[in-house]
Coordinates of all heavy atoms in Angstrom, one line a residue:
S180 N -70.6 35.1 -28.5 CA -69.9 36.5 -28.7 C -68.8 36.4 -29.6 O -68.6 37.2 -30.5 CB -69.3 37.0 -27.3 OG -70.3 36.9 -26.3
L181 N -68.0 35.3 -29.5 CA -66.8 35.2 -30.4 C -67.3 34.9 -31.8 O -66.7 35.5 -32.8 CB -65.9 34.0 -29.9 CG -64.7 33.7 -30.7 CD1 -63.7 35.0 -30.7 CD2 -63.9 32.5 -30.2
S182 N -68.3 34.1 -32.0 CA -68.8 33.8 -33.3 C -69.4 35.1 -34.0 O -69.1 35.4 -35.2 CB -69.9 32.8 -33.3 OG -69.5 31.6 -32.7
L183 N -70.1 35.9 -33.2 CA -70.7 37.1 -33.8 C -69.6 38.1 -34.2 O -69.7 38.8 -35.1 CB -71.6 37.7 -32.8 CG -72.9 37.0 -32.6 CD1 -73.8 37.6 -31.4 CD2 -73.8 36.9 -33.8
A184 N -68.5 38.1 -33.4 CA -67.4 39.1 -33.7 C -66.5 38.6 -34.9 O -66.0 39.5 -35.6 CB -66.5 39.2 -32.5
G185 N -66.4 37.3 -35.1 CA -65.4 36.8 -36.1 C -66.1 36.1 -37.3 O -66.6 36.8 -38.2
K186 N -66.1 34.8 -37.3 CA -66.4 34.1 -38.5 C -67.8 33.4 -38.4 O -68.1 32.5 -39.3 CB -65.3 33.0 -38.7 CG -64.0 33.5 -39.2 CD -62.9 32.5 -39.4 CE -63.2 31.5 -40.5 NZ -63.0 32.1 -41.9
G187 N -68.6 33.7 -37.4 CA -69.9 33.1 -37.4 C -70.0 31.7 -36.7 O -68.9 31.1 -36.4
F188 N -71.1 31.3 -36.4 CA -71.3 30.0 -35.6 C -70.8 28.8 -36.3 O -70.4 27.8 -35.7 CB -72.8 29.8 -35.3 CG -73.3 30.8 -34.2 CD1 -73.9 32.0 -34.6 CD2 -73.1 30.6 -32.9 CE1 -74.4 32.9 -33.7 CE2 -73.5 31.5 -31.9 CZ -74.2 32.6 -32.3
D189 N -70.9 28.7 -37.6 CA -70.5 27.5 -38.4 C -69.0 27.4 -38.6 O -68.5 26.3 -38.8 CB -71.3 27.4 -39.7 CG -72.7 27.3 -39.4 OD1 -73.1 26.5 -38.6 OD2 -73.5 28.0 -40.0
S190 N -68.3 28.5 -38.6 CA -66.9 28.5 -38.9 C -66.0 28.7 -37.7 O -64.7 28.7 -37.8 CB -66.5 29.6 -40.0 OG -67.3 29.3 -41.1
T191 N -66.5 29.1 -36.6 CA -65.7 29.2 -35.4 C -65.5 27.9 -34.7 O -66.4 27.1 -34.5 CB -66.4 30.2 -34.4 OG1 -66.7 31.4 -35.1 CG2 -65.6 30.4 -33.1
K192 N -64.2 27.6 -34.5 CA -63.9 26.2 -33.9 C -63.9 26.3 -32.4 O -63.5 27.3 -31.9 CB -62.5 25.8 -34.4 CG -62.4 25.6 -35.9 CD -61.0 25.2 -36.3 CE -60.9 25.2 -37.8 NZ -59.4 25.3 -38.2
V193 N -64.3 25.3 -31.8 CA -64.4 25.2 -30.3 C -63.8 23.9 -29.8 O -64.1 22.9 -30.4 CB -65.9 25.4 -29.8 CG1 -66.0 25.2 -28.3 CG2 -66.5 26.7 -30.2
R194 N -63.0 24.1 -28.8 CA -62.5 22.9 -28.1 C -62.9 23.0 -26.6 O -62.7 24.1 -26.0 CB -61.0 22.8 -28.2 CG -60.6 21.6 -29.0 CD -59.1 21.5 -29.2 NE -58.5 22.5 -30.0 CZ -57.3 23.0 -29.8 NH1 -56.5 22.5 -28.9 NH2 -56.8 23.9 -30.6
I195 N -63.4 22.0 -26.0 CA -63.8 22.1 -24.6 C -63.0 21.0 -23.9 O -63.0 19.8 -24.3 CB -65.3 21.9 -24.4 CG1 -66.0 23.1 -25.1 CG2 -65.7 21.9 -22.9 CD1 -67.5 23.1 -25.1
V196 N -62.2 21.5 -22.9 CA -61.3 20.6 -22.2 C -61.5 20.5 -20.7 O -61.8 21.5 -20.1 CB -59.8 21.1 -22.5 CG1 -58.7 20.3 -21.8 CG2 -59.6 21.3 -24.0
A197 N -61.4 19.3 -20.2 CA -61.4 19.1 -18.7 C -60.0 18.8 -18.3 O -59.3 17.9 -18.9 CB -62.3 17.9 -18.4
D198 N -59.5 19.6 -17.4 CA -58.1 19.5 -17.0 C -57.9 19.5 -15.5 O -58.2 20.5 -14.8 CB -57.2 20.6 -17.6 CG -55.8 20.4 -17.5 OD1 -55.3 19.6 -16.6 OD2 -55.0 21.1 -18.3
P199 N -57.5 18.4 -14.9 CA -57.4 18.3 -13.4 C -56.4 19.2 -12.8 O -56.4 19.5 -11.6 CB -57.0 16.8 -13.1 CG -56.5 16.3 -14.4 CD -57.1 17.1 -15.5
V200 N -55.4 19.7 -13.7 CA -54.4 20.6 -13.2 C -55.0 22.0 -12.9 O -54.4 22.7 -12.0 CB -53.3 20.7 -14.3 CG1 -52.3 21.9 -14.0 CG2 -52.5 19.4 -14.4
V201 N -56.0 22.4 -13.6 CA -56.5 23.8 -13.4 C -57.6 23.9 -12.3 O -58.3 22.9 -12.0 CB -57.1 24.4 -14.7 CG1 -56.1 24.3 -15.9 CG2 -58.4 23.7 -15.1
S202 N -57.6 25.1 -11.7 CA -58.6 25.3 -10.6 C -59.6 26.4 -11.1 O -60.6 26.6 -10.4 CB -58.0 25.7 -9.3 OG -57.1 26.8 -9.5
R203 N -59.3 27.0 -12.2 CA -60.2 28.1 -12.7 C -60.6 27.8 -14.1 O -60.0 27.1 -14.8 CB -59.5 29.5 -12.7 CG -58.8 29.9 -11.5 CD -59.8 30.7 -10.6 NE -59.1 31.0 -9.3 CZ -59.6 30.7 -8.2 NH1 -60.8 30.1 -8.1 NH2 -59.0 31.0 -7.1
I204 N -61.8 28.4 -14.5 CA -62.2 28.3 -15.9 C -61.4 29.3 -16.7 O -61.3 30.5 -16.3 CB -63.8 28.7 -16.0 CG1 -64.6 27.7 -15.2 CG2 -64.2 28.8 -17.4 CD1 -66.0 28.0 -15.1
S205 N -60.9 28.8 -17.8 CA -60.1 29.7 -18.7 C -60.7 29.6 -20.1 O -61.2 28.6 -20.5 CB -58.6 29.4 -18.7 OG -58.4 28.4 -19.5
H206 N -60.6 30.8 -20.8 CA -61.1 30.8 -22.2 C -59.9 31.4 -23.0 O -59.4 32.5 -22.7 CB -62.2 31.7 -22.4 CG -63.5 31.3 -21.7 ND1 -64.2 30.1 -21.9 CD2 -64.1 31.9 -20.6 CE1 -65.2 30.0 -21.1 NE2 -65.2 31.1 -20.3
K207 N -59.5 30.6 -24.0 CA -58.3 31.0 -24.8 C -58.8 31.2 -26.2 O -59.6 30.4 -26.8 CB -57.2 29.9 -24.8 CG -56.0 30.3 -25.5 CD -54.8 29.5 -25.0 CE -54.9 28.0 -25.2 NZ -53.9 27.2 -24.6
I208 N -58.5 32.4 -26.8 CA -58.9 32.7 -28.2 C -57.6 32.6 -29.1 O -56.6 33.3 -28.7 CB -59.6 34.0 -28.4 CG1 -60.9 34.0 -27.6 CG2 -59.8 34.3 -29.9 CD1 -61.6 35.3 -27.6
L209 N -57.7 31.8 -30.1 CA -56.6 31.8 -31.1 C -57.1 32.2 -32.4 O -58.2 31.7 -32.8 CB -56.0 30.3 -31.2 CG -55.7 29.7 -29.8 CD1 -55.6 28.2 -29.9 CD2 -54.3 30.2 -29.4
A210 N -56.5 33.1 -33.1 CA -57.0 33.5 -34.4 C -55.8 33.9 -35.3 O -54.8 34.4 -34.8 CB -57.9 34.7 -34.3
H211 N -56.0 33.6 -36.6 CA -55.0 34.2 -37.5 C -55.7 34.6 -38.8 O -56.7 34.1 -39.2 CB -53.8 33.3 -37.7 CG -54.0 31.9 -38.2 ND1 -54.2 31.6 -39.5 CD2 -54.2 30.8 -37.5 CE1 -54.5 30.3 -39.6 NE2 -54.5 29.8 -38.4
G212 N -55.0 35.5 -39.5 CA -55.6 36.1 -40.7 C -54.6 37.1 -41.3 O -53.4 37.1 -40.9
K213 N -55.1 38.0 -42.2 CA -54.2 38.9 -42.8 C -53.6 39.8 -41.8 O -52.5 40.4 -42.1 CB -55.1 39.8 -43.8 CG -55.5 39.1 -45.0 CD -55.6 40.1 -46.2 CE -56.1 39.4 -47.5 NZ -57.5 39.1 -47.5
F214 N -54.2 40.1 -40.7 CA -53.6 41.0 -39.7 C -52.4 40.4 -39.0 O -51.6 41.1 -38.4 CB -54.7 41.3 -38.6 CG -55.0 40.1 -37.7 CD1 -54.4 40.0 -36.4 CD2 -55.7 39.0 -38.1 CE1 -54.6 38.9 -35.6 CE2 -56.0 37.9 -37.3 CZ -55.4 37.9 -36.1
G215 N -52.3 39.1 -38.9 CA -51.3 38.4 -38.2 C -51.8 37.3 -37.3 O -52.7 36.6 -37.8
R216 N -51.4 37.2 -36.1 CA -51.8 36.1 -35.2 C -52.2 36.6 -33.9 O -51.6 37.6 -33.3 CB -50.7 35.1 -35.1 CG -51.0 33.7 -34.6 CD -50.0 32.7 -35.1 NE -48.7 33.0 -34.5 CZ -48.3 32.5 -33.3 NH1 -49.0 31.7 -32.6 NH2 -47.1 32.7 -32.9
L217 N -53.3 36.1 -33.3 CA -53.7 36.6 -32.0 C -53.9 35.4 -31.1 O -54.4 34.3 -31.4 CB -55.1 37.3 -32.2 CG -55.9 37.8 -31.1 CD1 -56.7 39.0 -31.5 CD2 -56.9 36.7 -30.6
R218 N -53.5 35.7 -29.8 CA -53.6 34.6 -28.8 C -53.9 35.3 -27.5 O -53.1 36.1 -27.0 CB -52.3 33.8 -28.7 CG -52.3 32.7 -27.8 CD -50.9 32.2 -27.6 NE -50.8 31.3 -26.5 CZ -50.8 29.9 -26.7 NH1 -50.8 29.4 -27.9 NH2 -50.8 29.1 -25.7
V219 N -55.1 35.1 -27.0 CA -55.6 35.8 -25.8 C -56.1 34.7 -24.8 O -56.9 33.9 -25.2 CB -56.7 36.8 -26.0 CG1 -57.1 37.5 -24.8 CG2 -56.3 37.8 -27.1
E220 N -55.7 34.8 -23.6 CA -56.2 33.8 -22.6 C -56.6 34.5 -21.3 O -55.9 35.4 -20.8 CB -55.1 32.8 -22.2 CG -55.7 31.7 -21.3 CD -54.8 30.5 -21.1 OE1 -53.6 30.6 -21.6 OE2 -55.2 29.5 -20.5
L221 N -57.8 34.2 -20.9 CA -58.4 34.8 -19.7 C -58.6 33.7 -18.7 O -59.3 32.8 -19.0 CB -59.7 35.6 -20.0 CG -60.5 36.0 -18.8 CD1 -59.8 37.1 -18.1 CD2 -61.8 36.6 -19.3
E222 N -58.0 33.9 -17.5 CA -58.3 32.9 -16.5 C -59.3 33.6 -15.5 O -58.9 34.6 -14.9 CB -57.0 32.5 -15.7 CG -56.1 31.6 -16.6 CD -54.9 31.2 -15.9 OE1 -55.0 30.6 -14.9 OE2 -53.8 31.5 -16.4
N223 N -60.5 33.1 -15.4 CA -61.5 33.8 -14.7 C -61.6 33.5 -13.2 O -61.5 32.4 -12.8 CB -62.9 33.4 -15.3 CG -63.3 34.3 -16.5 OD1 -63.3 35.5 -16.4 ND2 -63.6 33.6 -17.6
M224 N -61.6 34.6 -12.4 CA -61.9 34.4 -11.0 C -63.4 34.4 -10.8 O -64.1 35.1 -11.5 CB -61.3 35.6 -10.2 CG -59.8 35.6 -10.1 SD -59.2 34.2 -9.1 CE -59.6 34.9 -7.4
P225 N -63.9 33.7 -9.9 CA -65.3 33.7 -9.6 C -65.7 35.1 -9.1 O -64.9 35.8 -8.4 CB -65.6 32.6 -8.6 CG -64.3 32.2 -8.1 CD -63.2 32.7 -9.0
N226 N -67.0 35.4 -9.3 CA -67.5 36.7 -8.8 C -67.5 36.6 -7.2 O -68.0 35.6 -6.6 CB -69.0 36.8 -9.2 CG -69.6 38.1 -8.9 OD1 -69.5 38.6 -7.8 ND2 -70.3 38.7 -9.8
P227 N -66.9 37.6 -6.5 CA -66.8 37.5 -5.1 C -68.2 37.4 -4.4 O -68.3 36.9 -3.3 CB -66.1 38.9 -4.7 CG -65.9 39.7 -5.9 CD -66.3 38.8 -7.1
N228 N -69.2 37.9 -5.1 CA -70.6 37.8 -4.5 C -71.3 36.6 -4.9 O -72.4 36.4 -4.4 CB -71.4 39.1 -4.9 CG -70.7 40.3 -4.5 OD1 -70.1 40.5 -3.4 ND2 -70.6 41.3 -5.4
N229 N -70.8 35.9 -5.9 CA -71.6 34.8 -6.5 C -70.6 33.8 -7.2 O -70.2 34.0 -8.3 CB -72.6 35.3 -7.5 CG -73.5 34.2 -8.0 OD1 -73.0 33.0 -8.1 ND2 -74.7 34.5 -8.3
P230 N -70.1 32.8 -6.4 CA -69.0 31.9 -7.0 C -69.4 31.2 -8.3 O -68.6 30.8 -9.0 CB -68.8 30.9 -5.9 CG -69.7 31.3 -4.7 CD -70.6 32.4 -5.1
G231 N -70.7 31.2 -8.6 CA -71.2 30.5 -9.8 C -70.9 31.3 -11.1 O -71.2 30.8 -12.2
S232 N -70.6 32.6 -10.9 CA -70.5 33.5 -12.1 C -69.1 34.0 -12.2 O -68.4 34.2 -11.2 CB -71.5 34.6 -11.8 OG -71.5 35.6 -12.8
S233 N -68.6 34.2 -13.4 CA -67.3 34.8 -13.6 C -67.3 36.3 -13.3 O -68.2 37.0 -13.8 CB -66.8 34.6 -15.1 OG -66.7 33.3 -15.4

Side-chain angles (χ1 to χ4, degrees):
S180 309
L181 182 62
S182 300
L183 292 173
K186 285 177 75 70
F188 287 96
D189 297 312
S190 303
T191 303
K192 296 174 186 165
V193 175
R194 247 179 290 151
I195 297 176
V196 180
D198 190 340
V200 168
V201 303
S202 55
R203 305 271 178 236
I204 295 174
S205 82
H206 299 293
K207 186 157 61 187
I208 295 176
L209 307 161
H211 57 83
K213 286 211 183 78
F214 71 100
R216 197 155 66 90
L217 173 149
R218 184 189 169 99
V219 181
E220 183 167 10
L221 170 67
E222 290 181 58
N223 273 305
M224 285 295 281
N226 188 315
N228 306 314
N229 185 327
S232 177
S233 297

